[in-house]
Amino acid sequence: FVPNEVGTHIIEASIGGTTLVGGPLIAKVYDSSLIQVTDVNGGVVGQPCQFRVDASAAGEGQLEISINEGEVPNHVQVVGGGRCLVSFTPEQAKPHLIDIKFNGETVIGCPFVCSVADTSRVLLNLSNLELIPVNRPASFHITVSGGGAAELAVSVRGPQGELPVRVTGDIHAGFTAEFTPNNVGAHTINVEYNGYPVQGTPFVAKSYDATKVGVGSVSKGTVGRPVQFTVDAGDAGEGNLEITISAKGHNIPTQVHPQGNAKFAVSFVPAEPCEHIINVSFNKMLVPGCPITVIINGGTTGPQVSLGGPGPLHLPNSLIINHAGGRLEDIEVNVEGRRRLLY
């Protein structure tokens, strides 16, 4: 007889109405063409690869799986209902052939091919791209060791979408990828080798714009009296803000008070009637309008004393006494706290 469906078939035989001893017989029918193999994707050397085998509709039987004719070990995890998850870890960058048999019959579609790449051959250093200025080309070098064919794909996605990337070079000298950020914010860099992400990517570079740092107006000052101005870096992106004030080649103590949202109130107390130079830089780049020259006048006659602003607990603070022609031994300073004399 020729079975036409998968499943258990019961065979009964009799002679002259008498059932034969040992009956009924049970025949289990299978169909290897109903086995489905899915999720056979590419892999990377040293990282587990997985694919699925679904034999739920094929009937009962023995499933045999070999990779590269048994050279590569595999692990089968039964997930129930005739389905299983197969995993293996490739150790070489070459096509891996997957052969599957069901009750000795080769499953349709075999061998399935899993392409394996070795992304460790690709070396790149992106540390110089942690902070990058807008409207200036940014680049990094890519080296592929060992020679041979290499298909590199580089993409950069900024706050407003994909950016053009120019890749030059060859497999021997290496490749250089260059792009120009035009917006402040995070830029995600992806590098793929033969279709697989290279170690260290995706990498997030942060672009900034020093021209968007605003320095408030600074009026003329008077010796012994605080001079104040504001700095607003709220639209400039991430980075380091440096503020220096100098007079006659010497730096002047400066008080910087955060106001929130990357805004700062800056003050200093001039001690001499001369030009004071204000420099503000963002990520080592001078911001627009700097350096700023502030004219400091001599002020009124007689002794004057001033504080630069509130000071933190347990840290030294200072005050400035301006008394032209005075003597050090004539000065007496007492600092009194809430409960006791401090100095």
Side-chain angles (χ1 to χ4, degrees), residues 227 229-231 241-245 252-259 262-268 279-280 308-312:
V227 177
F229 60 95
T230 59
V231 177
L241 187 68
E242 297 180 54
I243 303 171
T244 59
I245 302 171
I252 305 299
T254 306
Q255 298 284 340
V256 180
H257 304 286
Q259 306 295 301
K263 296 180 181 179
F264 305 89
V266 185
S267 64
F268 68 96
N279 277 300
V280 180

Side-chain angles (χ1 to χ4, degrees), residues 177-222:
E178 182 181 281
F179 66 97
T180 301
N182 46 33
N183 294 102
V184 170
H187 288 65
T188 303
I189 301 172
N190 285 288
V191 180
E192 292 186 351
Y193 169 67
N194 290 343
Y196 302 100
V198 172
Q199 185 176 5
T201 64
F203 178 87
V204 178
K206 298 173 182 178
S207 62
Y208 64 90
D209 189 351
T211 66
K212 292 188 176 181
V213 177
V215 181
S217 60
V218 186
S219 59
K220 294 181 179 180
T222 303

Side-chain angles (χ1 to χ4, degrees), residues 103-301:
N103 293 328
E105 294 183 3
T106 300
V107 172
I108 294 176
C110 287
F112 297 93
V113 180
C114 173
S115 299
V116 176
D118 186 2
T119 58
S120 66
R121 294 179 57 203
V122 183
L123 304 175
L124 65 161
N125 184 4
L126 300 172
S127 60
N128 63 312
L129 300 181
E130 290 182 357
L131 290 173
I132 52 178
V134 299
N135 301 323
R136 293 190 181 185
S139 63
F140 58 95
H141 192 69
I142 306 170
T143 303
V144 182
S145 63
E151 182 179 338
L152 286 173
V154 182
S155 64
V156 178
R157 186 172 186 83
Q160 303 296 327
E162 293 285 337
L163 294 180
V165 181
R166 181 170 175 260
V167 180
T168 57
D170 55 50
I171 191 68
H172 304 291
F175 301 89
T176 298
E178 182 181 281
F179 66 97
T180 301
N182 46 33
N183 294 102
V184 170
H187 288 65
T188 303
I189 301 172
N190 285 288
V191 180
E192 292 186 351
Y193 169 67
N194 290 343
Y196 302 100
V198 172
Q199 185 176 5
T201 64
F203 178 87
V204 178
K206 298 173 182 178
S207 62
Y208 64 90
D209 189 351
T211 66
K212 292 188 176 181
V213 177
V215 181
S217 60
V218 186
S219 59
K220 294 181 179 180
T222 303
V223 170
R225 295 183 179 179
V227 177
Q228 298 180 337
F229 60 95
T230 59
V231 177
D232 186 352
D235 296 326
E238 293 192 28
N240 299 314
L241 187 68
E242 297 180 54
I243 303 171
T244 59
I245 302 171
S246 61
K248 294 183 178 180
H250 299 285
N251 287 339
I252 305 299
T254 306
Q255 298 284 340
V256 180
H257 304 286
Q259 306 295 301
N261 297 323
K263 296 180 181 179
F264 305 89
V266 185
S267 64
F268 68 96
V269 179
E272 296 183 74
C274 62
E275 289 185 348
H276 284 55
I277 308 300
I278 300 174
N279 277 300
V280 180
S281 61
F282 191 66
N283 292 328
K284 305 297 183 181
M285 298 180 66
L286 211 58
V287 307
C290 288
I292 301 172
T293 301
V294 181
I295 304 299
I296 303 299
N297 297 318
T300 59
T301 59

